[in-house]
Each structure stands twice: as C-alpha cells, then as structure tokens.
C-alpha cells in the first residue's frame, strides 16, 4: 500500500530538483535559463558548472545529426529516448578530446521549444542521457527560438566565453566547431540530400574558428563543395553607397514625408539619422497602434507648425493615400522617400537588428516580406507627391559593435 505513495513523493522531489536546475550528472553540471522570456520560455538554456576548470581549447558540436541521430529514423525525435550515436566513432572521439584538454561543448538551435512543439525537459533529458553515456563533462547551450542566440549568431559562444569558462582565454586557433548545416548541395555524396542551411558553417566563421562537417571530423572524409546560400555582408559593404556628410534630406519649411520600403530596409534608421534631429515628428503604427492614430498625430503636428515623417512600409497607393490627402488638406508639400534596399539585404538587416539590440527588437517573420511584395505598387508623383527620393543602402554605423555584427553571416531569408 505504501509503494504508490512513496513513488509520488519521489516524483515530486524529482520535479522540484529539475525546477532548481539540478541534475544527476557529475562535475556540478546544472541548468540555468538566461534572458528575457518570450512566450514563457527564456531564449537561452545553459548546462554549465561553477566547479569545472576553464580550458583554452574548445571543441564545439551541433547535436542532432552530428553527435546523435534519431533511433526511429524520423527527422524529428519522438521523446527523449529516441536517439543513438550518429556513428560508432562519435563517443570515443569526444572522450579523446576531453582527455586531450579540450572543453567539449554542444551548441544547438531548438526553435521547437518556443513553438511549443517540444518541451524543454524533453530536450534536457535527452542531453543528460547523452552526457551520462559519454562519461565526460559537456557544457550545453540551447537557443530555444528565433532570438539573437540562434546560430549562426555567435551569441551562444560569446555567452560561454564570458560566463562559463572561468575567465580562461580561448585560443581560437586550437578550436573547432562541427555541424551538419554546412551548405552542401543535393547529391554532395552518393544520394545525400542537400543541407537544410549553412548555419553551422556560418556560426564557426562568425566566431573565427575552424569548421568541420561530421563526415570530415568523425569519418575523415574529404571536404565537399558547399554554398553559403546567403549574401556576403563584407562584399555588400564594398559596394554600398558611402554617406556624403554634406548631403541633407530635410527641408526648412513645413512638410510631410512618407517612407516606403520593405521590413528592415532602413526606414527607421534613416529618419532617426536625417530627419528627427531637424524636428520631424515620427508617426509609426508600431508605437501608435493604428493608421487612424498615425493620421491624427500627424495632423496635430502639422497644425502646430512641425514637419512629419510617416514611418511604415506603405507598399501600396492606398496605404499612402491618407497621408498624401492630409498634406494636401494642410497645404504642405508631401515627399516620398523610397528605400532601394534589396530584399535579400533587408532580410540580413532584419537579423542584424535583432542581434544589435540583444533580442529587444525581434526579427520580422518572412510573411511580412511576402505581404509587402504582394501589395507593392511603385510610388509615383501622380499620387500627389511633390518629390520621390530614392534612398540607397548607406554603409554608416553608429558604433564599431554595430559594424562588426553587420559583417557576420546570417541566413538572410533562407
């Protein structure tokens, strides 16, 4: 009679232990959650230890289809027990790395957690089982959604270096990252399918360390051909328009400016840099909530003698019409500033902005770009604009950090 009751107590104790982040692993390994929660989940889950020594050599690994694969043969695991080693050589190689003085670290994207397709405890239980079977200490960093921690952003690596390596400086020339998202085309070996992305290769490149695929690292196969499948941000900078410090975009008299451009094309940066410092009042649905409120605030600003800049995507004639009509009714010129940023670059800037703001500004989903494309109508003077100014992407950054983040590889719409 007492056995079921004791089991319930044990389960309760185990749940409490998990809630505290405690594990049955050696070396003081425990879980913590980092960052501001999104949809009830913190953007970064960390398995680390305060007692493990820091190491200057790091061997980083993706988990799925790099260290392990599903035992069921499915693309996505069914529960925490659906796994087996990717190859018989994996466990021995990881143990040898630990013995040779490398800190073995797993860096994994698990966006299914934020989407509520998989529970955090399911992922944690599987990882703990992997480490138990390895018998060596492994640090783990899990990006739970589409945040600034998601690979290929190097923020998981940066968090590890700053907080989990006991202050020991890492020698990047001695480090490696291994992952299966390597940009290989369909048929790169026999009948192999194409890689779903190039994010693991980009992750290593953004950090500045050597990259290997699982086949190269564990099986000593020769490197296969690959494509980055994204824009090269450094090449973009070489071709970008250089800002002219003498160029002015504001007017001395009262006017209304309508911005036009796809998401993350640089509209807000432009108006903050070139219009707001000259007294322009910005109206934006992101802050005001509705188009009606934007018109109301714009009208009040114009009546008080101020210039106005309407900062939204405004893809269609109808989306711009109310502002054009307001300018006409108030007897002021209405100019259109049309961002010429290519879509692929805007996708890159979308992720750059998320990383620059440490996730405070979330990436805009692809549907936002699709809606813009579907509704876009090229602005013309026939709508009532007094001038249409085409604005090219300008290579100007507010800080060295912003420039460094721009230069990092992103998946840019792929």
């Amino acid at each position: 009679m007492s056995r079921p009751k004791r089991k319930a107590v044990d389960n309760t104790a185990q749940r409490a232990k998990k809630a505290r982040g405690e594990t049955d692993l050696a070396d003081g390994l425990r879980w913590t959650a980092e960052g501001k929660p999104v949809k009830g989940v913190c953007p970064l889950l960390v398995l680390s230890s305060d007692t493990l020594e820091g190491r200057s050599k790091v061997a980083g690994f993706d988990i799925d289809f790099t260290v392990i694969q599903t035992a069921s043969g499915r693309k996505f695991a069914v529960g925490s027990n659906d796994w087996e080693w990717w190859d018989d050589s994996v466990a021995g190689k990881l143990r040898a790395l630990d013995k040779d003085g490398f800190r073995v670290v797993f860096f994994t994207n698990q966006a299914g957690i934020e989407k509520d397709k998989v529970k955090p405890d399911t992922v944690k239980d599987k990882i703990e089982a992997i480490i138990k079977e390895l018998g060596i200490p492994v640090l783990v960093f899990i990006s739970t959604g589409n945040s600034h921690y998601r690979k290929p952003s190097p923020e998981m690596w940066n968090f590890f270096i700053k907080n989990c390596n006991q202050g020991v400086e890492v020698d990047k020339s001695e480090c490696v990252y291994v992952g299966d998202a390597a940009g290989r085309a369909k048929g790169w070996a026999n009948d192999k399918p194409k890689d779903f992305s190039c994010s693991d290769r980009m992750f290593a490149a953004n950090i500045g360390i050597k990259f290997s695929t699982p086949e190269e690292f564990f099986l000593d196969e020769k490197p296969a051909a690959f494509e980055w499948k994204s824009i090269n941000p450094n090449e973009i900078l070489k071709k970008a328009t250089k800002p002219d410090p003498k160029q002015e975009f504001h007017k001395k008299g009262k006017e209304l400016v309508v911005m036009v451009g796809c998401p993350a094309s640089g509209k807000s940066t432009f108006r903050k840099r070139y219009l707001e410092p000259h007294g322009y009042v910005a109206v934006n649905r992101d802050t005001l909530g509705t188009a009606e409120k934007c018109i109301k605030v714009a009208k009040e600003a114009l009546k008080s003698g101020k210039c106005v800049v309407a900062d939204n995507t405004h893809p269609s004639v109808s989306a711009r019409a109310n502002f054009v009509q307001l300018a006409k009714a108030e007897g002021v010129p209405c100019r259109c500033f049309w961002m010429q940023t290519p879509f692929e670059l805007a996708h890159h800037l979308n992720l750059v902005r998320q990383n620059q703001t440490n996730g405070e500004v979330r990436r805009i989903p692809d549907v936002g770009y699709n809606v813009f494309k579907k509704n876009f109508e090229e602005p013309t003077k026939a709508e009532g604009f007094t001038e249409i100014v085409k604005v090219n992407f300008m290579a100007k950054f507010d800080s060295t950090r912003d420039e460094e983040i721009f230069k990092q590889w992103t998946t840019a719409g792929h």
Side-chain angles (χ1 to χ4, degrees), residues 271-283:
R271 55 101 169 161
K272 289 176 182 177
R273 185 173 287 160
Y274 296 106
L275 298 178
E276 285 191 68
H278 299 282
Y280 283 66
V281 175
V283 294

Side-chain angles (χ1 to χ4, degrees), residues 15 27 63-64 76-77 92 105 124 139 161-162 172 187 204 216 222 227 229 277 294 312 319 359 365 385 391-392 412:
R15 285 195 295 270
D27 305 295
I63 297 178
D64 298 316
F76 298 106
V105 186
K124 290 178 181 179
L139 303 189
I161 296 298
K162 183 178 180 180
K172 290 184 179 181
E216 294 162 15
K222 293 182 179 179
E227 294 180 0
K229 299 183 179 182
C294 289
N312 281 104
F385 292 118
V391 181
N392 293 321

Side-chain angles (χ1 to χ4, degrees), residues 296-351:
K296 180 182 178 181
V297 172
K299 185 176 182 178
E300 292 171 352
L302 290 172
K303 286 188 177 298
S304 66
K306 297 179 181 178
C307 292
V308 172
V309 51
D311 178 14
N312 281 104
T313 58
H314 299 127
S316 63
V317 173
S318 61
R320 303 185 286 263
N322 286 340
F323 287 107
V324 175
Q325 292 168 8
L326 174 61
K328 184 178 180 180
E330 295 298 321
V332 300
C334 186
R335 289 193 294 160
C336 172
F337 283 77
W338 178 13
M339 309 306 291
Q340 301 297 294
T341 309
F343 273 90
E344 197 169 30
L345 176 55
H347 276 291
H348 176 71
L349 291 170
N350 186 24
L351 295 167

Side-chain angles (χ1 to χ4, degrees), residues 76-93:
F76 298 106
V78 182
S80 59
N81 295 319
D82 184 15
W83 69 273
E84 62 184 14
W85 296 114
W86 179 80
D87 183 81
D88 291 342
S89 64
V90 171
K93 189 71 177 280

